[in-house]
Amino acid sequence: MNSDLTDTNSQEDPIITIEGMHKWYGDFHVLKDINLTVQKGERIVICGPSGSGKSTLIRCINRLEEHQRGKIIVDGIELTNDLKNIEKIRVEVGMVFQHFNLFPHLTILENLTLGPIWVRKTPKKEAEETAMYYLEKVRIAEQALKFPGQLSGGQQQRVAIARSLCMKPNVILFDEPTSALDPEMVKEVLDVMISLAQEGMTMLVVSHEMGFAKSVAHRVLFMDGGEVLEENEPNEFFGNPQHERTKLFLSQILD
Amino acid sequence: MEDTLHPNTTKEIKPPVINIGIIGWIRANLFNGWFNTLLTLVFAYVLFLTVPPFINWALINSSWFTTSEECKASGGACWSVVTTNIRFMLFGFYPHALQWRPLLAIVILIALLIYSRNRNHWRKSLAYAWAIGLFTMGLLLKGGLFGLESVESTKWGGLPLTLLLSVFGLTAAYPVGIILALGRQSKMPIVKSFCVIYIELIRGVPLISLLFMSSVVFPLFLPEGMTINPILRAQVAIIMFTAAYIAEVVRGGLQGVDKGQYEAAQSLGLNYFQSMRRIILPQALKIVIPPSVSILISAFKDTSLVVIIALYDLLKTTQTTLTDPKWMGYSSEAYIFVALIYFVCCFFMSNYSRKLEKELDTSL
């Protein structure tokens, strides 16, 4: 299983290219000179202490945050202030949030079909079939007509993953998908993410789940103070960290 | 065998009799502790002093269908002031023979409102029903088509006028208020400052002064010979005024929606209007149902201020009735009657808002 997971697809097909990107909140320099290329089918885990800018980095990729310098190119489209381009990119880039952010006034099924119906202009019936397919996949189909408030945290996060899958994205960004969950629910969400990985989905995951990183990531990035300090394939990263701060961080979370 | 050994494990245990039933309720709510017992007794005494005399006045000694002289003799409430003058109170100067028309219009309106109470009926056909209903009501009031005699709007008055001003005022003010609230949150500086100035300006003046402006100042700017219907002018003033208040309430609702909802909507690729229409507004408006209904209720009652620009709404027709020397001095009865009408309408609104809140609650 591990062999096909670490097998990167073609090296010549970058889906995300970030060049010399900087971001400030007011005077505060949150992201410093970020350079990152993500190939199609690649899975990257980003870790680092809180406040290191890792969430901000992936939120820049679908323009939930604006960068001030440098270039971000997603799927051949450069992110600028052009609203049309931003919306185009958001359709191709799925996002899973720490706090799920399901729409509480809509049923699970409606949560899943909303994007396809209004953005992709899919006919309602087809959208519902797709939605049921993905709900089946995250093993939650029997809850389709309930409201998010009636589901547990783990179930909600699986619905959130299904919701982003329904848009048939090329990349999915995960912003700490398991850190708001009760411990016993972490596994059910990680299992869904691992099966996504096995199907070759391109994933950028901000997470401290080191087991997950070891089993599915092609690369692990360590960020601190708004910079990418270290970048390596998982075995090297965990077995032989180079940077002092990486060593310190790993020793703290692995205890 | 086992059951007899452990009789309590299989049977449900009932609470002690002392805590349930009427006696239990009375004990728990009226006589728990000496202070509450004292309060109960004091209130019982106050009720004893006030309720029987009121019933005596309002029901037992009252006269219902008599002349004013007979009223004076009876000493009780004189409901005759209402029954004798009800047509003027309800319809003002609308031609006597044609008053079935506004009455029918009101019946249609009430029927539509009651039918719309059930959210299962909210289909496209209901929108058509409202469109047809409103057109019919307008036609019934105004006439001039299909052989109906035309009636000048200056003769409209009483309850139809009050309902007209409120129903149109409130339904038009709500969307305008939502647009103003969204405008106030806009990133475009001109839109934003327009909305802020509008809201602050309108909220900063009393409704009376707006009504005065619309009836006295505004016509000064119109070209010579051009007039705008005074009811329409009052209507616009009421809409403008109510919309400013609605806008601020809705803005509160928009701020109450979690930031993650905006982000989730954006990350699906929904554009601004889609995310507002599908995600943000449904949640924001649900949060603000109680304060919006408060505003709608007070706006409904505020329509009575149109008396100052010489429109004969329900309250003004009642006042006019009371200037008749025959019926002077029976203002309590007349005003109780009008208050009842207002109360029923307001109660309908607040009751409906509670129903809506319950139905839309998905948090469980």
Side-chain angles (χ1 to χ4, degrees), chain A residues 1 5 43 134 136-140 154-155 157-159 161-162 165 174 177-178 181-201 203 205 207 209 211-213 215-216:
Chain A
M1 180 187 102
L5 278 177
R43 295 176 290 276
Y134 284 115
E136 208 72 67
K137 201 162 167 162
V138 300
R139 296 185 305 280
I140 212 159
Q155 290 174 321
Q157 193 60 298
R158 277 145 60 197
V159 171
I161 293 173
L165 287 173
F174 291 83
T178 56
L181 295 175
D182 288 337
E184 77 270 24
M185 295 172 180
V186 170
K187 187 175 177 294
E188 64 186 58
V189 171
L190 289 181
D191 285 348
V192 168
M193 291 169 64
I194 289 170
S195 76
L196 268 185
Q198 284 165 345
E199 287 163 26
M201 175 61 76
M203 297 160 76
V205 185
S207 176
E209 293 295 334
F212 173 78
S215 66
V216 306

Side-chain angles (χ1 to χ4, degrees), chain B residues 222-280:
Chain B
L222 289 177
E224 193 82 24
M226 185 179 168
T227 56
I228 291 179
N229 184 324
I231 295 181
L232 183 62
R233 277 183 272 149
Q235 183 79 82
V236 170
I238 289 171
I239 293 172
M240 285 172 65
F241 186 77
T242 311
Y245 281 86
I246 296 279
E248 281 303 274
V249 164
V250 171
R251 187 167 71 102
L254 290 172
Q255 285 169 349
V257 175
D258 185 57
K259 211 173 126 248
Q261 294 290 312
Y262 289 86
E263 291 179 351
Q266 285 175 353
S267 72
L268 283 176
L270 294 168
N271 63 32
Y272 176 79
F273 291 101
Q274 288 169 332
S275 51
M276 283 300 156
R277 164 75 184 81
R278 305 281 152 198
I279 309 297
I280 307 302

Side-chain angles (χ1 to χ4, degrees), chain A residues 9-167:
Chain A
N9 294 2
S10 78
Q11 292 294 315
E12 303 304 316
D13 195 10
I15 192 159
I16 298 172
T17 312
I18 302 177
E19 284 169 13
M21 190 261 275
H22 292 256
K23 170 166 181 62
W24 289 265
Y25 283 129
D27 280 341
F28 179 57
H29 202 170
V30 233
L31 292 176
K32 300 169 189 163
D33 192 27
I34 305 288
N35 292 286
L36 177 68
T37 310
V38 182
Q39 303 296 329
K40 201 160 196 153
E42 207 177 4
R43 295 176 290 276
I44 295 177
V45 168
I46 305 170
C47 61
S50 85
S52 58
K54 53 197 192 307
S55 283
T56 312
L57 170 60
I58 67 164
R59 287 160 60 87
C60 281
I61 295 172
N62 69 349
R63 196 62 163 200
L64 288 180
E65 305 281 354
E66 206 175 312
H67 63 282
Q68 282 96 8
R69 252 179 70 185
K71 251 192 208 175
I72 301 179
I73 300 168
V74 181
D75 217 8
I77 306 170
E78 185 176 351
L79 267 178
T80 56
N81 277 325
D82 186 346
L83 266 180
K84 278 275 158 282
N85 277 352
I86 295 174
E87 275 158 24
K88 239 185 262 169
I89 286 174
R90 283 175 179 162
V91 175
E92 304 304 329
V93 178
M95 178 127 188
V96 174
F97 298 89
Q98 183 179 4
H99 296 287
F100 334 133
N101 297 355
L102 295 178
F103 306 128
H105 61 299
L106 301 177
T107 62
I108 300 306
L109 189 63
E110 288 167 333
N111 263 278
L112 267 65
T113 55
L114 187 105
I117 289 176
W118 296 102
V119 180
R120 288 255 193 227
K121 312 286 179 204
T122 316
K124 189 172 176 220
K125 193 155 176 292
E126 193 188 321
E128 282 177 354
E129 279 162 12
T130 315
M132 288 314 292
Y133 170 78
Y134 284 115
L135 280 180
E136 208 72 67
K137 201 162 167 162
V138 300
R139 296 185 305 280
I140 212 159
E142 70 283 1
Q143 318 273 19
L145 297 178
K146 288 193 181 170
F147 286 98
Q150 293 164 284
L151 270 53
S152 74
Q155 290 174 321
Q156 290 194 46
Q157 193 60 298
R158 277 145 60 197
V159 171
I161 293 173
R163 176 173 70 180
S164 70
L165 287 173
C166 280
M167 291 296 285

Side-chain angles (χ1 to χ4, degrees), chain B residues 76-364:
Chain B
C78 177
W79 299 112
S80 311
V81 65
V82 176
T83 52
T84 314
N85 299 304
I86 189 142
R87 291 183 71 162
F88 181 76
M89 285 167 73
L90 289 184
F91 302 115
F93 295 108
Y94 206 88
H96 211 256
L98 301 177
Q99 284 177 359
W100 62 272
R101 279 162 45 180
L103 183 65
L104 183 58
I106 292 175
V107 169
I108 294 176
L109 178 69
I110 292 173
L112 278 171
L113 284 172
I114 290 176
Y115 187 75
S116 309
R117 249 177 86 89
N118 188 341
R119 283 204 316 135
N120 295 331
H121 295 160
W122 291 7
R123 291 186 228 100
K124 230 181 204 155
S125 53
L126 185 62
Y128 295 134
W130 270 100
I132 295 168
L134 287 175
F135 175 76
T136 318
M137 284 179 242
L139 184 68
L140 281 169
L141 278 178
K142 182 114 180 72
L145 268 181
F146 304 123
L148 290 172
E149 199 181 317
S150 177
V151 177
E152 280 302 308
S153 64
T154 46
K155 290 193 176 147
W156 299 3
L159 188 58
L161 182 64
T162 297
L163 292 177
L164 178 84
L165 289 173
S166 337
V167 170
F168 275 102
L170 305 189
T171 41
Y174 213 86
V176 175
I178 291 172
I179 291 169
L180 284 169
L182 292 176
R184 191 167 183 166
Q185 287 206 324
S186 166
K187 288 192 182 110
M188 289 176 268
I190 294 175
V191 174
K192 186 184 169 126
S193 39
F194 171 80
C195 291
V196 172
I197 291 169
Y198 176 90
I199 291 168
E200 296 306 335
L201 213 59
I202 298 282
R203 285 204 311 165
V205 297
L207 177 58
I208 290 195
S209 67
L210 266 186
L211 288 168
F212 260 129
M213 295 252 280
S214 74
S215 75
V216 182
V217 184
F218 179 63
L220 298 179
F221 297 105
L222 289 177
E224 193 82 24
M226 185 179 168
T227 56
I228 291 179
N229 184 324
I231 295 181
L232 183 62
R233 277 183 272 149
Q235 183 79 82
V236 170
I238 289 171
I239 293 172
M240 285 172 65
F241 186 77
T242 311
Y245 281 86
I246 296 279
E248 281 303 274
V249 164
V250 171
R251 187 167 71 102
L254 290 172
Q255 285 169 349
V257 175
D258 185 57
K259 211 173 126 248
Q261 294 290 312
Y262 289 86
E263 291 179 351
Q266 285 175 353
S267 72
L268 283 176
L270 294 168
N271 63 32
Y272 176 79
F273 291 101
Q274 288 169 332
S275 51
M276 283 300 156
R277 164 75 184 81
R278 305 281 152 198
I279 309 297
I280 307 302
L281 281 176
Q283 297 183 54
L285 296 185
K286 192 178 93 182
I287 302 174
V288 299
I289 289 174
S292 321
V293 172
S294 292
I295 289 177
L296 297 184
I297 285 176
S298 76
F300 173 68
K301 292 178 293 180
D302 283 350
T303 56
S304 57
L305 290 173
V306 296
V307 294
I308 61 137
I309 55 169
L311 293 179
Y312 276 73
D313 81 317
L314 181 60
L315 203 61
K316 180 65 180 171
T317 52
T318 306
Q319 281 175 353
T320 312
T321 307
L322 292 169
T323 56
D324 182 344
K326 266 201 296 186
W327 299 108
M328 260 185 207
Y330 297 113
S331 48
S332 323
E333 290 86 342
Y335 284 131
I336 286 175
F337 171 69
V338 175
L340 262 178
I341 295 182
Y342 274 102
F343 175 77
V344 167
C345 296
C346 294
F347 186 73
F348 177 87
M349 286 194 257
S350 78
N351 192 34
Y352 183 59
S353 88
R354 262 176 292 148
K355 179 171 131 83
L356 207 56
E357 258 178 89
K358 243 187 237 154
E359 284 179 4
L360 295 178
D361 185 13
T362 56
S363 58
L364 295 154

